[in-house]
Structures are given as structure tokens and as C-alpha cells.
Amino acid sequence: MKRRTLLATGTTAAMAAVLGAPLRAQEPLKVGFVYVGPINDGGWTQHHHHSAKEMEEHFGGAVELLYQESVPEGPDAERVMTQMVRQGCKLIFTTSFGYMDPTINVAARFPDVKFEHATGYKTAENVSAYSARFYEGRAIQGTLAGRMTKSNKVGYIGSVPIPEVVRGINSAFIHARKVNPDVEFKIVWIFEWLNPAKEADAAKVLIEQGCDVILQHTDSTAPHAAAKEAGNVYTFGQAADMAEFGPMPRISSIIDNWAPYYIERTQAVLDGTWTSVNTWDGIGAGMVGIGEISSAVPEEYKAEAEAMRDAIAAGEYHPFTGPINKQDGSPWLAEGEVADDGTLAGLSFYVEGIEGDIPS
């Protein structure tokens, strides 16, 4: 294949020389990114954008990056994707769950363009889906939360009530309870991925309720600022390290590492080998990273968390291993039974011990 390409290029060059026509360099592959938040949100979008830039730098002049930030989930996303196609993008990454149906709709109109959708589950001949096993990181955060709380009240700021977020709450709670049976979780939903004011207010409400550890599945650093102001409250970075708030209140983090995937999938388009896939990777594959654990955490707890990280990475431990009951007390996973990916992908219930309902 490469030999035929070289021969064809050589023939074209020879003909151009004979005819006196100017040679044109191969145009770069235009790759588009659609972001739900601003590229300086400190978390989810910022980390996607850093990975996109790393991808662009990897390929040098062979790739041109186009992006649009703060695109609402819904019809407006279709307009942005369509505009990117009109601008010449042949590969488009759409980086939020609510872009799933818009991505499928636009892809159907442009079968020659490749689409990659983050955190969804729908695919097509020219649409791939990709996500990270964030629940693996939540298991580690839950372990640290259970060890570090003095009030036995842990707060959790939920964004949008989809399976991805429910999985994270369950995983964190299961592992907090394993090391501290007295732990209670208090959950506040803001129904948005990014809203610093709401995130800060949610953190303040949880602190007023006695929570001295706060986890978040939202995109900004506002909960950390609220915790820092309150004092003696622990937090965890989400999507990005958020290390500027360490060693207190931020004591560790989940770090999303998308760059290797972006490089791999862009290379596939350049090579002409791209096919639709559904990727769900975690700590072992390097898509989920665990930020450095703060000096505020005692060494024995740090070692415990790092041992869990290593066991998950090696495939020796799965965060959803029975016995685990559903919230109503009915059995879900028997002793030693591991939840399958299909069940986890659509998880829509709390585990036993979590109070309250999942918003509809």
C-alpha cells in the first residue's frame, strides 16, 4: 500500500514538472472538537482540550485542530458539528454525553466524516463511542474519604443523573463503607456539568450539613474554593488534577488522559484504517489516572489507596465485586460475583446504604 502511494506521488510530481504546474503540499487533516464547557474550566473540558492540543502537536503539520467551546447539549450542537463538516473536518470528537443523539444525527448526513463521541453508547458505521472507567477512580476516592472523615458524613455533588454518575456514587460509597461502616453519603444534584456558582452553593450546603469530605462529578474547581474557605474539609480533583488546591483541601484526584486515544484514532483516519469501535478503558490502560495523594493523608491510608489503584490496574480487583445489594436490600451481586459491563453501562439504582432517590 505504501509503495503504491509513493509511486503515485512520484508520477504526479514528474507530470507536474513536465507541465510546469506548481506542486501542492498535502493539506492537513482537519480534526474538530466540540466542548460542553470553556477550555479554561479547570476540569473536564480543559483536560480534553489539553489532550487535543497534545494530539495536534504529535502530528505536527499533518493535522489542523478546530474546536468550539461552551456548546449546549441539544440542537445547537448539531449546528456546530455541521459547521465543522462544512469547514472541512474529516474527524470530529464530541465530548459530552448530551451530544450523543446530535452526533448520530449529523453523522447520518455526512457518511464520509468520522465521528467519535465521548461517554455515550450509540454507534454507527462512521460513529465510535469512547469513555473511561471513572468508577475505578471513585473506588480509591471512596476509600480515602472513608478513612479521612471525622464526622462520618461525606458529601457528593452530582451533575446529571445518568449511569456514569450513578456508577461513581455507588463505587465511592461501597468503598467508603468498606473501611468505615459508619459513613453516610449526602448527595446534592445540580443538573448541569458546569456551573461554578451552583457547585459552590452545593459544597456550602453539604458543609453546613456536617460533611467534612466532598466528592464531585462536576467540572469546575468551585467546590475546592468553598472547602478551602470553610477549612478542615477534604476534596478531590475531578477530570483534572486541580493540584493548585493541594495539599489541602484537595487530597487526590481523578485525571482523565485522552491524548493517547486521540492520537490513535487520528492516526487511523490518516492511515485509512479507521473503523467504528466502542472503547471503555480505565486505570490499567492509562485512560484514568490517580493524582498524587496529599501529605495531609496519613501514610497508612495512602499506601492502602495506592495498593487498590495497583490491584485495579493489574486486573486483580474490580470495584463492583459482590456481595452487594441494591438500595432496597434485594441481592444484586453474590459473594465474589463481578458486575458485567452491560449492567454497569446502564446502572440506574443506588446500592444498599445510600439514602434518597435518583432524580428522573
Side-chain angles (χ1 to χ4, degrees), residues 24-28 61 270:
R24 297 179 62 185
Q26 184 176 357
E27 292 186 0
L270 289 168

Side-chain angles (χ1 to χ4, degrees), residues 35-225:
Y35 301 135
V36 73
I39 59 173
N40 63 347
D41 68 355
W44 177 261
T45 291
Q46 184 168 317
H47 230 58
H48 274 286
H49 188 59
H50 283 177
S51 294
K53 293 291 290 182
E54 187 175 335
M55 178 274 295
E56 182 185 34
E57 292 168 7
H58 173 85
F59 289 106
V63 166
E64 179 183 346
L65 175 65
L66 286 77
Y67 67 90
Q68 181 64 54
E69 58 191 307
S70 300
V71 178
E73 296 175 325
D76 200 46
E78 289 196 31
R79 178 190 61 79
V80 171
M81 294 174 208
T82 301
Q83 184 179 37
M84 285 184 171
V85 174
R86 302 298 187 198
Q87 291 175 315
C89 289
K90 294 299 182 183
L91 174 62
I92 298 175
F93 292 89
T94 60
T95 62
S96 191
F97 180 83
Y99 295 153
M100 180 168 61
D101 287 336
T103 300
I104 293 293
N105 294 342
V106 176
R109 301 205 310 268
F110 301 101
D112 294 334
V113 178
K114 312 302 182 188
F115 292 82
E116 298 268 352
H117 175 241
T119 73
Y121 54 86
K122 293 182 181 180
T123 60
E125 189 172 347
N126 62 329
V127 181
S128 286
Y130 66 101
S131 189
R133 296 180 184 268
F134 306 117
Y135 66 84
E136 294 181 348
R138 299 293 178 200
I140 296 161
Q141 290 187 346
T143 299
L144 288 168
R147 291 297 192 191
M148 296 298 289
T149 179
K150 294 179 176 62
S151 67
N152 291 327
K153 294 180 180 179
V154 173
Y156 204 114
I157 305 173
S159 49
V160 181
I162 61 173
E164 172 193 325
V165 182
V166 175
R167 278 194 305 271
I169 294 170
N170 283 331
S171 180
F173 178 78
I174 288 167
H175 291 85
R177 272 281 174 98
K178 280 188 175 183
V179 299
N180 184 348
D182 296 324
V183 161
E184 301 175 25
F185 265 34
K186 296 185 178 296
I187 304 164
V188 173
W189 295 91
I190 68 166
F191 303 99
E192 294 183 67
W193 295 108
L194 174 71
N195 188 318
K198 281 187 178 181
E199 293 173 62
D201 287 344
K204 291 173 184 177
V205 166
L206 291 168
I207 293 168
E208 289 171 359
Q209 292 177 353
C211 296
D212 58 358
V213 180
I214 295 177
L215 290 80
Q216 66 181 91
H217 200 138
T218 53
D219 293 350
S220 86
T221 60
H224 300 267

